[in-house]
Amino acid sequence: DAKTTQPPSMDCAEGRAANLPCNHSTISGNEYVYWYRQIHSQGPQYIIHGLKNNETNEMASLIITEDRKSSTLILPHATLRDTAVYYCIDLKAAGNKLTFGGGTRVLVKP
Amino acid sequence: NAGVTQTPKFQVLKTGQSMTLQCAQDMNHNSMYWYRQDPGMGLRLIYYSASEGTTDKGEVPNGYNVSRLNKREFSLRLESAAPSQTSVYFCASSETGQGSAEQFFGPGTRLTVL
């Protein structure tokens, strides 16, 4: 089973880009990389996902290395409301079962 | 659309008591999930239901039972609550599809077992 590793915490200045790294060196070829975030005590919120290609949506961009061993979530212009725990997750091929690790606690500072 | 709703929002139980956590979704999703989150930790999958009429164990199923009542509703039952089950419980739902499905989460039920 693939497993992801993330730094436990990072700070970011408001208005600047936040780059969140994730290592998933044992990910298999048909497993997607998903990013979720959890603001305070709310339920997790989907951000973005990808398989091989870089992806962008209204919330963020996802850059996946060519060997798929790591990825970076980019929040282009961080706001105070982006303060949250960000989870990088591998999606097992069967059953869409998410495996949450410890995540990265991101603090956006004014 | 309300999305995923959970009841109750808060609950306090005594050791040995039983209760059922309710979850409903109005997005016509096939798959539903129950997770628990202990303080400072990530979510762990308890049970999931890939489609109506089917349920399967997740990572931490001991002490729990589930019922997929219909396509909309997925309940989680604690038959004899223990202090170790003090946690926040999240329900989620998703479309069924191998390898690519966004999960939508409810607001959570905060359970304390004394």
Side-chain angles (χ1 to χ4, degrees):
Chain A
D1 290 346
K3 182 180 179 210
T4 63
T5 55
Q6 302 175 251
S9 64
M10 64 181 293
D11 293 346
C12 177
E14 186 180 18
R16 302 295 294 270
N19 297 291
L20 283 63
C22 177
N23 287 321
H24 32 80
S25 58
T26 59
I27 195 169
S28 59
N30 62 348
E31 289 184 335
Y32 287 69
V33 177
Y34 271 69
W35 284 83
Y36 281 77
R37 73 179 182 184
Q38 188 173 26
I39 297 173
H40 193 43
S41 301
Q42 300 175 20
Q45 175 190 24
Y46 165 83
I47 301 173
I48 199 167
H49 74 278
L51 183 63
K52 296 179 182 178
N53 300 321
N54 298 337
E55 303 287 346
T56 296
N57 63 20
E58 66 278 4
M59 289 183 67
S61 295
L62 176 61
I63 309 298
I64 302 174
T65 58
E66 190 169 344
D67 63 7
R68 301 213 325 127
K69 292 184 184 301
S70 66
S71 60
T72 300
L73 179 75
I74 301 172
L75 307 177
H77 304 287
T79 70
L80 299 179
R81 289 177 294 178
D82 291 323
T83 291
V85 178
Y86 287 76
Y87 295 100
C88 169
I89 299 162
D90 70 298
L91 182 64
K92 299 184 195 321
N96 296 329
K97 293 179 287 184
L98 300 175
T99 300
F100 285 80
T104 297
R105 188 170 298 275
V106 174
L107 176 62
V108 180
K109 296 182 176 180
Chain B
N1 289 345
V4 179
T5 57
Q6 294 182 237
T7 55
K9 286 186 172 54
F10 301 93
Q11 183 70 49
V12 178
L13 294 177
K14 294 180 179 178
T15 296
Q17 287 185 316
S18 62
M19 79 161 295
T20 300
L21 282 64
Q22 305 287 353
C23 174
Q25 52 91 10
D26 62 2
M27 296 172 281
N28 202 37
H29 286 163
N30 286 312
S31 299
M32 298 185 73
Y33 313 81
W34 276 106
Y35 294 87
R36 62 175 286 175
Q37 185 173 33
D38 299 332
M41 306 287 287
L43 281 71
R44 291 183 293 171
L45 183 65
I46 306 172
Y47 270 94
Y48 70 101
S49 171
S51 62
E52 186 178 355
T54 68
T55 60
D56 285 289
K57 296 179 180 180
E59 181 186 354
V60 288
N62 291 344
Y64 305 94
N65 286 302
V66 290
S67 295
R68 183 71 182 270
L69 304 170
N70 47 56
K71 192 171 185 178
R72 287 187 66 247
E73 299 172 291
F74 190 36
S75 63
L76 179 72
R77 183 161 179 84
L78 287 69
E79 291 291 351
S80 179
S84 61
Q85 294 178 305
T86 292
S87 191
V88 181
Y89 291 84
F90 290 101
C91 178
S93 71
S94 71
E95 294 285 350
T96 299
Q98 285 226 334
S100 180
E102 172 187 350
Q103 289 191 18
F104 294 82
F105 285 81
T109 293
R110 282 146 186 81
L111 175 66
T112 300
V113 182
L114 302 174

